[in-house]
Amino acid sequence: MKKWAVAAAALLLLFSGCSKKEETVKPLEPKEKVVDKVVEKEEKKEEVAYYFPLTGVKSETKTDGRAVAVMINNHPKARPQSGLSKADIVYELIAEGDMTRFLAVFQSEKPANIGPVRSSRAYYIDLAKGLNALYIAHGYSEEARQMLESNYVDNLNGMQYDGTLFKRSSARKAPHNSYITYENILKGVEQKHYTMDKTPPSFTFLKEDEKSKVTGNEAKSVMISYSRGGISDLTFTFDPQSGKYKRFSGGEQTVDLENNEPVLLDNIFIIEAVHQVYDSAGHLKVDLKSGGKAYLLQMGKVNEVNWANKDGRIVPVKEGQEVPLVPGKTWVNVVPAKPGLSQSVSFDVQ
């Protein structure tokens, strides 16, 4: 009886030891897997990158937020302008006669002071709407007034806020002296209960390392003529050292009045569109929906492309596909279909 009890005790001790060994070995497997998962998550977190929708430029922080589109005067007495060096995209179109006006769109950068601010036209309003932008102007044509007062786009206009949100510069004479600060834009947003959460739709961009692979015909500079008088004629010149284009107007380089920084551009997009005078004041209708011929300049090269309106965005296309832009700032020139690109645009390949 005693021998049986001793044997039973020995067997019990043996099984108990085996069980303890199994308990110490088995947890190691899941523990190692948990560590692997943690490492995987950390690696994925490091790969996260943000890109500004209108420039394609990479950022370490979130790039959402509403764009602000401001009508900026281009009369010789309004030059140099304030804020242009920080615009993601600038659209240049004829307002009346042979005088162009800019729609400067800001999203990745927010200049302290912007102007001189000028009056609105319907086709500029459509461009702003296509980017979900808050639209800023001082004055309007009758057609533009009706669009703005019907709340077609969220907007702030100097006709209602002259002397409050919009300030007059004593250094210049009206109508070339109306300015608005970014701080006052935000005050206006608060007063009108707008939101700044409507991030603009993104354009298509090349990857940074693809810029050097851009092909096309050599074009070191391009001149765009809007009239025989030449008051709005301009030139873009490519700088190989920076890989960017400089802009010149009336023989003077386009710089920012606020910081004396030159306007430097990565994409020059020149399109032709049908222009039609529709009243005695010379106001225009500009067809920005039908598409047509265009030139795209990047990295000192030029390509013949087409332009299309994709949900309000004017984009370069070729064979039905959107052509990627070089990451950075873009200037869009719209010239009348008569006389068209062949008569309005000339290239220097030297």
Side-chain angles (χ1 to χ4, degrees):
M1 185 73 174
K2 286 182 180 179
K3 287 181 181 180
W4 180 86
V6 170
L11 283 169
L12 187 61
L13 186 62
L14 179 63
F15 287 136
S16 175
C18 289
S19 177
K20 285 180 180 177
K21 284 180 183 177
E22 286 175 3
E23 286 175 4
T24 57
V25 173
K26 281 185 178 179
L28 287 177
E29 241 178 277
K31 196 172 183 181
E32 287 172 356
K33 286 181 181 176
V34 169
V35 170
D36 287 343
K37 287 180 181 177
V38 170
V39 170
E40 281 178 17
K41 283 181 181 178
E42 286 177 353
E43 285 174 354
K44 285 179 182 176
K45 190 175 181 182
E46 289 174 0
E47 291 173 5
V48 171
Y50 302 99
Y51 294 87
F52 288 104
L54 302 183
T55 65
V57 174
K58 189 175 180 180
S59 172
E60 294 180 358
T61 57
K62 287 186 176 181
T63 56
D64 50 0
R66 194 173 198 178
V68 174
V70 187
M71 291 294 304
I72 296 185
N73 196 340
N74 187 37
H75 192 281
K77 293 181 179 179
R79 304 170 189 161
Q81 296 90 344
S82 296
L84 282 184
S85 66
K86 296 186 181 298
D88 292 342
I89 305 176
V90 175
Y91 297 91
E92 181 172 4
L93 303 90
I94 295 173
E96 277 88 50
D98 58 358
M99 179 57 62
T100 63
R101 198 165 290 175
F102 306 149
L103 180 72
V105 185
F106 305 93
Q107 198 263 347
S108 67
E109 297 184 80
K110 299 168 178 60
N113 197 36
I114 308 171
V117 185
R118 203 66 171 88
S119 60
S120 57
R121 300 292 181 267
Y123 38 95
Y124 294 98
I125 297 172
D126 283 330
L127 288 168
K129 187 175 179 64
L131 299 175
N132 292 330
L134 173 69
Y135 181 70
I136 311 292
H138 193 144
Y140 28 62
S141 65
E142 178 57 26
E143 183 184 19
R145 182 189 66 79
Q146 292 177 19
M147 292 172 74
L148 297 177
E149 291 184 355
S150 70
N151 297 316
Y152 179 71
V153 291
D154 291 347
N155 70 94
L156 301 172
N157 199 286
M159 296 296 283
Q160 288 78 47
Y161 297 100
D162 197 355
T164 54
L165 299 179
F166 293 74
K167 303 291 185 181
R168 296 284 184 172
S169 168
S170 59
R172 289 175 173 169
K173 294 181 179 180
H176 314 299
N177 65 346
S178 176
Y179 291 81
I180 190 167
T181 63
Y182 204 87
E183 182 181 0
N184 279 357
I185 289 173
L186 295 181
K187 285 181 182 178
V189 167
E190 187 175 354
Q191 288 177 27
K192 298 197 77 171
H193 305 290
Y194 292 150
T195 176
M196 292 301 285
D197 295 333
K198 298 179 181 179
T199 303
S202 180
F203 287 80
T204 301
F205 293 95
L206 294 168
K207 293 180 180 177
E208 193 64 35
D209 59 1
E210 294 175 328
K211 292 195 306 185
S212 60
K213 300 175 185 177
V214 170
T215 60
N217 295 323
E218 292 290 330
K220 299 304 180 186
S221 70
V222 58
M223 179 180 176
I224 304 171
S225 177
Y226 279 96
S227 70
R228 291 179 181 177
I231 194 170
S232 294
D233 289 0
L234 66 139
T235 302
F236 294 104
T237 302
F238 181 67
D239 176 22
Q241 195 167 10
S242 65
K244 297 180 183 294
Y245 291 87
K246 299 174 182 178
R247 185 185 184 281
F248 297 83
S249 193
E252 298 287 332
Q253 186 171 359
T254 305
V255 299
D256 196 313
L257 179 64
E258 300 299 309
N259 50 30
N260 206 39
E261 288 183 7
V263 170
L264 298 175
L265 306 156
D266 299 273
N267 305 280
I268 309 300
F269 189 29
I270 310 167
I271 77 172
E272 66 174 37
V274 173
H275 290 52
Q276 181 182 1
V277 177
Y278 71 90
D279 66 9
S280 59
H283 292 134
L284 295 168
K285 288 186 183 294
V286 180
D287 181 0
L288 294 177
K289 294 182 179 178
S290 299
K293 297 177 182 178
Y295 291 124
L296 180 62
L297 287 87
Q298 303 168 308
M299 302 300 295
K301 310 282 187 182
V302 60
N303 282 283
E304 290 186 28
V305 296
N306 288 305
W307 67 271
N309 185 314
K310 290 194 173 182
D311 300 319
R313 294 181 306 118
I314 306 300
V315 298
V317 293
K318 197 163 189 176
E319 297 176 354
Q321 298 297 314
E322 191 169 335
V323 180
L325 300 174
V326 169
K329 300 178 183 297
T330 300
W331 197 287
V332 183
N333 279 91
V334 182
V335 301
K338 292 183 180 180
L341 292 177
S342 60
Q343 298 296 313
S344 303
V345 181
S346 57
F347 297 98
D348 181 359
V349 298
Q350 302 300 319

